[in-house]
């Protein structure tokens, strides 16, 4: 699950008119960098929560990432923070597989395969 609903206050003024996930880093929106990374690790379903400029982010995701199974957890009426976001999206996250929760504005080079090692 990608947490992308936040207001992006630390990224102002860039987030005054767009969601933080659409802020460009290395010439690409942060959410695309993350989705490309996750699909490169074999993730096939990704849940994204939305709130701030939700329509803009949903439009971008449907246009740019139509080839993967993206599920939207809509928080437009109320921003739920991390715990609330997970609770709202629980039906989209059901099953036996582990769930990775990743903030859209965290850039890392951690090897995600290491998360499955015991």
């Amino acid at each position: 699950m990608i947490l992308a609903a936040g207001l992006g206050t630390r990224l102002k003024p860039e987030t005054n008119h767009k969601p933080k996930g659409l802020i460009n880093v290395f010439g690409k929106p942060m959410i695309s960098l993350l989705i490309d990374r996750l699909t490169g690790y074999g993730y096939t379903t990704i849940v994204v929560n939305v709130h701030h400029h939700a329509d803009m982010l949903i439009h971008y995701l449907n246009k740019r990432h139509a080839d993967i199974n993206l599920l939207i957890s809509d928080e437009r009426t109320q921003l739920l923070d991390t715990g609330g976001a997970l609770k709202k999206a629980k039906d989209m996250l059901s099953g036996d597989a582990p769930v990775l929760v990743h903030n859209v504005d965290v850039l890392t080079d951690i090897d995600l395969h290491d998360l499955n090692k015991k």
Side-chain angles (χ1 to χ4, degrees):
M1 178 171 185
I2 298 175
L3 300 174
L7 300 174
T9 55
R10 290 183 299 265
L11 293 170
K12 284 186 179 266
E14 288 82 5
T15 54
N16 286 341
H17 303 291
K18 66 174 138 180
K20 63 184 173 182
L22 294 183
I23 300 298
N24 283 333
V25 176
F26 305 120
K28 268 180 113 169
M30 283 192 283
I31 197 155
S32 279
L33 292 171
L34 183 51
I35 289 172
D36 291 348
R37 189 162 189 269
L38 293 174
T39 56
Y41 275 96
Y43 288 83
T44 57
T45 299
I46 298 174
V47 177
V48 179
N49 74 331
V50 297
H51 174 79
H52 183 64
H53 297 297
D55 291 333
M56 188 181 295
L57 186 55
I58 291 168
H59 175 76
Y60 176 82
L61 291 170
N62 287 334
K63 181 179 171 188
R64 168 64 173 82
H65 295 286
D67 56 329
I68 62 171
N69 187 23
L70 275 171
L71 305 173
I72 302 297
S73 181
D74 193 335
E75 297 180 18
R76 280 181 270 209
T77 59
Q78 182 180 12
L79 185 58
L80 300 173
D81 297 320
T82 302
L86 291 169
K87 184 175 180 181
K88 180 172 177 61
K90 71 178 179 171
D91 291 338
M92 294 181 221
L93 304 171
S94 63
D96 294 331
V99 174
L100 172 70
V101 180
H102 201 300
N103 293 70
V104 72
D105 56 350
V106 171
L107 302 175
T108 179
D109 62 357
I110 293 172
D111 184 344
L112 298 179
H113 292 297
D114 287 343
L115 296 177
N116 290 324
K117 294 179 182 174
K118 294 182 181 184

